[in-house]
Amino acid sequence: MSLLFAPDHYPSVAIIGSGQRFGVHRIYCVGRNYAAHAREMGNNPDRDPPFFFTKPDDAVVANGAAVPYPPRTANLHHEVELVVAIGAMGRNVSPADAHTLVFGYAVGNDLTRRDLQQAAREERRPWDTSKGFDHSAPLTGIHPVPDGAPPLASGAIWLKVNGEQRQSADLADMIWSVAEVIAELSALYTLQPGDLIFTGTPAGVGPVQRGDQLEAGIAGFETLVNMIV
């Protein structure tokens, strides 16, 4: 039997200011981490423990690349998010020590087949097909942070479609902070270098169509730009 792919080939993301790349291990995502978004989706934003879902590592799409409109959906939604890049192994990490695992941050877009997600919710089925499809995780290059830097806690986060503002909030509006998300996730999984954590989206999510240009940003980071094709 011949191999159909090279065993040393892994998805990777650019590292800002470096010729090296960040090899992706796993992609974790946090659901309903902004109260206003939880309400717009018909949920209670009480501070229940965070819940998580995943995307495949090869769902990453580079900044500036086109994103094919996925099949089996008529309601593809944008969701701008802060993405945390993990650079050290950690298990059962406390919130106070969570910053020691952070390699850097990026701007991401948790693309979602909303109609499939709503059907899965109504039937109490997994979200895999609505969240973990091909090309569902566009993100910028990763901005490294100095060792020991405190977790990012504030900053404007926004998204535009064809120049029209759709999402606008602040990272301070997150229900669960970056440190708390890392701590909770590390109680469920052993976090590894190469893990990416999408930390949730603010209110204003909505549909996109073929031909739409999406711009997403977080204060201090480069802008994520992708076109739906």
Side-chain angles (χ1 to χ4, degrees):
M1 180 182 295
S2 61
L3 290 176
L4 300 180
F5 58 90
D8 60 348
H9 175 73
Y10 298 98
S12 63
V13 181
I15 299 174
I16 303 298
S18 170
Q20 296 182 314
R21 295 184 65 84
F22 184 88
V24 179
H25 177 244
R26 292 178 179 172
I27 301 176
Y28 300 100
C29 305
V30 186
R32 302 174 198 159
N33 201 24
Y34 288 78
H37 173 58
R39 292 190 188 98
E40 77 176 349
M41 298 303 294
N43 299 297
N44 189 328
D46 286 346
R47 206 168 186 265
D48 294 327
F51 70 92
F52 303 92
F53 55 92
T54 62
K55 292 175 181 278
D57 57 3
D58 63 357
V60 295
V61 178
N63 196 4
V67 177
Y69 195 95
R72 302 290 291 273
T73 183
N75 196 15
L76 178 66
H77 276 210
H78 59 77
E79 296 189 6
V80 60
E81 308 198 6
L82 172 69
V83 179
V84 182
I86 299 297
M89 185 174 70
R91 175 75 173 170
N92 290 319
V93 178
S94 70
D97 293 332
H99 67 282
T100 63
L101 272 60
V102 178
F103 173 80
Y105 300 99
V107 181
N109 192 347
D110 170 22
L111 293 175
T112 303
R113 292 194 274 207
R114 190 70 71 201
D115 42 3
L116 299 190
Q117 183 189 37
Q118 290 173 341
R121 288 173 55 192
E122 292 170 0
E123 298 174 9
R124 298 182 179 274
R125 293 180 177 177
W127 286 8
D128 298 62
T129 58
S130 66
K131 290 288 193 177
F133 53 92
D134 299 339
H135 315 292
S136 60
L139 73 160
T140 63
I142 296 167
H143 294 248
V145 296
D147 291 341
L152 193 60
S154 63
I157 179 171
W158 56 270
L159 182 141
K160 297 179 181 179
V161 178
N162 300 326
E164 176 188 352
Q165 192 88 44
R166 291 276 191 90
Q167 294 183 267
S168 180
D170 195 283
L171 299 177
D173 298 333
M174 288 195 292
I175 298 171
W176 292 90
S177 69
V178 167
E180 290 170 327
V181 166
I182 292 173
E184 179 67 15
L185 191 57
S186 74
L188 296 167
Y189 304 92
T190 299
L191 295 178
Q192 302 281 355
D195 287 340
L196 297 172
I197 306 172
F198 281 64
T199 58
T201 194
V205 301
V208 294
Q209 308 295 333
R210 294 173 181 84
D212 284 348
Q213 179 165 287
L214 281 58
E215 299 173 82
I218 295 172
F221 298 159
E222 66 178 343
T223 300
L224 175 64
V225 180
N226 300 100
M227 178 172 284
I228 306 297
V229 299

